[in-house]
Amino acid sequence: MNIPCNSCQARKSPLCSVFTDLEIEDLFQLAHIRRIKTGAYLLHEEDPVRQVYNVSSGALALERLASNGAKQIMAFCYAGDFIGIASGPSYSVSARALKPLTACQWQEADLQSLYKKHPKLETRVHDITSRVVEAIMDQLFVLGRKKATEKIAWFLLFIETRQANARGYTSAHKSRSFKMPMTRVDIADYLGLTVETVSRAFSQLNSKGMIEITDKWTITIKDRAALTALGDYTSPVPGRKG
Amino acid sequence: MNIPCNSCQARKSPLCSVFTDLEIEDLFQLAHIRRIKTGAYLLHEEDPVRQVYNVSSGALALERLASNGAKQIMAFCYAGDFIGIASGPSYSVSARALKPLTACQWQEADLQSLYKKHPKLETRVHDITSRVVEAIMDQLFVLGRKKATEKIAWFLLFIETRQANARGYTSAHKSRSFKMPMTRVDIADYLGLTVETVSRAFSQLNSKGMIEITDKWTITIKDRAALTALGDYTSPVPGRKG
DNA sequence: CGCCTACTTGAGTCGAGTCAAGAACCGTGG
DNA sequence: CCACGGTTCTTGACTCGACTCAAGTAGGCG
């Protein structure tokens, strides 16, 4: 049978990569492909948990809104990221598309039977959850203990490797400059800052020669050592627990 | 057989409560009881993941240290909390005892065979991980988007319900005043503030009549409505996903 | 009783937020 | 092709909240 999985950007993602071409047909049979345009929401925080998703292409922001209107972005998601697992009755975050998005959608109810048939799926889903914990803890540290420019330095290195990985699922291409899908406001809402502060920090890193801003979405890291020192960034260990 | 589980504070915790008295013997057979005194570490962030723990009594802070000496506390743990699951080769947080601690320790290697024998254990462990994600997201929101006094107001309500739950595993006793195990420094390191700011916020809430500080560990909530409004605190939904 | 640590309070500084204006960019339509 | 309006980004001036530094108080324990 001919399924689009093998040309999918997420085929080598943590979720799909554990399955053979034959096995993944099982998953694909139950999946529905969702397409969302920029700015639209894939899901809302107060929605009951009925579907789960694996991003095929595009980018998302997982965010939460306060009653006073303040927004906090919890994560940025790329191709290969798995979304929708929650511990309560509702997703506790909303997922907003930063670029036109494609995602595989499964009914949460189907997940249980898929777990039965493919036990490694369950293991993998939970492994992904553990990784989420690590990632959010990193972010927690950054929000609580870093200054504005340090946050931005950390963020740039973080996003760069993050996107390199997402792209790496298909082809490992190495370049010093990269394009971000999120606006300055998004970055501010992710790091607990204001737009103005984010903008100033970008300008500062730019004038100090650590980065170069080609257009506002495209950043080149000129002095990685300095940026790493400033952001105290340690790239994630690829190792898995034994 | 006579095992201490039935008099354990964690017997009704998310982990242990799913097992019958008979089943829990299986778990207890493989467990080793660890005792740690105040200020000592149960585990260090750079340690390889070989053991997992379920807290029986006492309290812990899960913390991470930066190279510059800054500390960020990721969570406070009480009786019934499960610790030690990681996605990488090392725990990425250290666990420091805030009070004399007792915990059940299992070898990580034994966990897999226990999962085999008791599938609901695995489900429950992963359910716990999902809850951790929710909890840290709440904290992220607070760190990123609240002011000092709002953080403290939120923290007090949070810790109060948190401890009421932990106590509730044994006996549901309802009181307006509660005793915290952590110092002002710990609170500061949890909320991304300094000790002085924490202290000032306590004084301010005290003088405004929202709380009463009996001794520095014992807090009484005098005006719950005002405190809730200030901290924008919404108590967690007990509901579970279907 | 005295020491040590934890906490509180005050004074001054500085970083990030706020408010406001202007520049760059984007899509749309003439 | 350019004019236009809206949005996003940048920059400046000012304010204020939280940090820093410093002193002093309160408990806990030998």
Side-chain angles (χ1 to χ4, degrees), chain B residues 68-84:
Chain B
N68 63 15
K71 180 188 283 184
Q72 177 66 48
I73 291 180
M74 308 291 176
F76 294 111
C77 296
Y78 295 94
D81 285 344
F82 185 73
I83 297 163

Side-chain angles (χ1 to χ4, degrees), chain A residues 69-85:
Chain A
K71 181 188 285 185
Q72 177 64 48
I73 293 180
M74 307 292 176
F76 293 111
C77 296
Y78 295 94
D81 286 344
F82 184 73
I83 297 164
I85 293 295

Side-chain angles (χ1 to χ4, degrees), chain B residues 60-206:
Chain B
L60 283 170
L62 301 187
E63 58 192 31
R64 197 183 282 184
L65 227 65
S67 48
N68 63 15
K71 180 188 283 184
Q72 177 66 48
I73 291 180
M74 308 291 176
F76 294 111
C77 296
Y78 295 94
D81 285 344
F82 185 73
I83 297 163
I85 293 295
S87 70
S90 60
Y91 306 108
S92 55
V93 289
S94 302
R96 173 172 51 91
L98 300 172
K99 315 174 65 174
L101 187 98
T102 323
C104 273
Q105 169 185 301
W106 289 275
Q107 295 302 315
E108 212 265 349
D110 290 342
L111 215 52
Q112 300 306 324
S113 58
L114 281 171
Y115 283 172
K116 278 261 157 52
K117 188 159 183 192
H118 302 286
K120 60 185 168 188
L121 175 63
E122 183 166 20
T123 310
R124 191 37 71 103
V125 166
H126 297 317
D127 206 61
I128 288 169
T129 312
S130 308
R131 277 162 197 261
V132 170
V133 173
E134 307 277 323
I136 306 189
M137 281 186 173
D138 288 345
Q139 197 184 341
L140 251 191
F141 194 94
V142 172
L143 286 214
R145 290 299 174 207
K146 284 191 200 299
K147 302 191 185 307
T149 46
E150 295 169 350
K151 286 181 179 179
I152 297 293
W154 178 88
F155 175 77
L156 289 171
L157 292 164
F158 170 71
I159 280 295
E160 189 212 14
T161 54
R162 189 81 182 66
Q163 297 193 163
N165 285 345
R167 266 189 278 102
Y169 294 146
T170 50
S171 69
H173 101 107
K174 195 166 188 169
S175 113
R176 314 204 132 269
S177 90
F178 63 98
K179 215 162 142 49
M180 308 181 298
M182 67 289 283
T183 67
R184 301 285 190 267
V185 178
D186 291 332
I187 298 173
D189 287 339
Y190 181 75
L191 295 172
L193 299 170
T194 57
V195 210
E196 294 93 327
T197 305
V198 171
S199 185
R200 276 185 248 272
F202 268 92
S203 305
Q204 201 180 320
L205 295 178
N206 186 47

Side-chain angles (χ1 to χ4, degrees), chain A residues 184 199-200 203 216:
Chain A
R184 300 285 191 266
S199 185
R200 275 185 249 273
S203 304
K216 55 189 172 192

Side-chain angles (χ1 to χ4, degrees), chain A residues 37-184:
Chain A
K37 58 187 172 198
T38 304
Y41 282 83
L42 181 64
L43 50 88
H44 291 274
E45 45 184 317
E46 66 283 359
D47 290 348
V49 179
R50 296 210 218 289
Q51 287 96 19
V52 299
Y53 303 89
N54 202 42
V55 178
S56 307
S57 69
L60 283 170
L62 301 187
E63 58 192 31
R64 197 183 281 184
L65 227 66
S67 46
N68 63 14
K71 181 188 285 185
Q72 177 64 48
I73 293 180
M74 307 292 176
F76 293 111
C77 296
Y78 295 94
D81 286 344
F82 184 73
I83 297 164
I85 293 295
S87 70
S90 60
Y91 306 108
S92 55
V93 289
S94 302
R96 175 171 52 91
L98 300 174
K99 315 175 66 174
L101 186 99
T102 324
C104 272
Q105 170 185 298
W106 289 275
Q107 295 301 316
E108 212 264 349
D110 290 341
L111 215 52
Q112 299 306 322
S113 57
L114 281 171
Y115 284 171
K116 278 262 157 50
K117 189 161 183 190
H118 303 286
K120 59 186 169 187
L121 174 62
E122 183 167 18
T123 310
R124 190 38 71 104
V125 167
H126 297 319
D127 206 61
I128 288 168
T129 312
S130 307
R131 277 163 198 261
V132 170
V133 173
E134 307 276 323
I136 305 189
M137 281 186 174
D138 287 345
Q139 196 184 343
L140 204 57
F141 192 94
V142 172
L143 287 215
R145 290 299 174 206
K146 284 192 200 299
K147 303 190 185 307
T149 45
E150 297 169 347
K151 285 181 179 179
I152 298 294
W154 179 88
F155 175 78
L156 290 171
L157 292 163
F158 170 72
I159 280 296
E160 188 211 17
T161 54
R162 190 83 183 65
Q163 297 193 163
N165 285 344
R167 266 187 278 101
Y169 294 147
T170 49
S171 69
H173 102 107
K174 195 165 189 169
S175 111
R176 315 205 130 269
S177 90
F178 63 99
K179 216 162 142 48
M180 308 180 298
M182 68 289 286
T183 67
R184 300 285 191 266

Side-chain angles (χ1 to χ4, degrees), chain A residues 177-233:
Chain A
S177 90
F178 63 99
K179 216 162 142 48
M180 308 180 298
M182 68 289 286
T183 67
R184 300 285 191 266
V185 178
D186 291 331
I187 298 173
D189 287 339
Y190 181 75
L191 295 172
L193 298 170
T194 58
V195 211
E196 295 93 329
T197 305
V198 171
S199 185
R200 275 185 249 273
F202 268 93
S203 304
Q204 201 180 319
L205 295 178
N206 186 47
S207 67
K208 281 188 181 169
M210 296 191 194
I211 62 170
E212 190 181 301
I213 307 169
T214 308
D215 67 69
K216 55 189 172 192
W217 313 102
T218 312
I219 306 290
T220 312
I221 292 176
K222 307 286 278 187
D223 187 346
R224 184 174 300 270
L227 209 59
T228 306
L230 182 59
D232 194 25
Y233 180 78

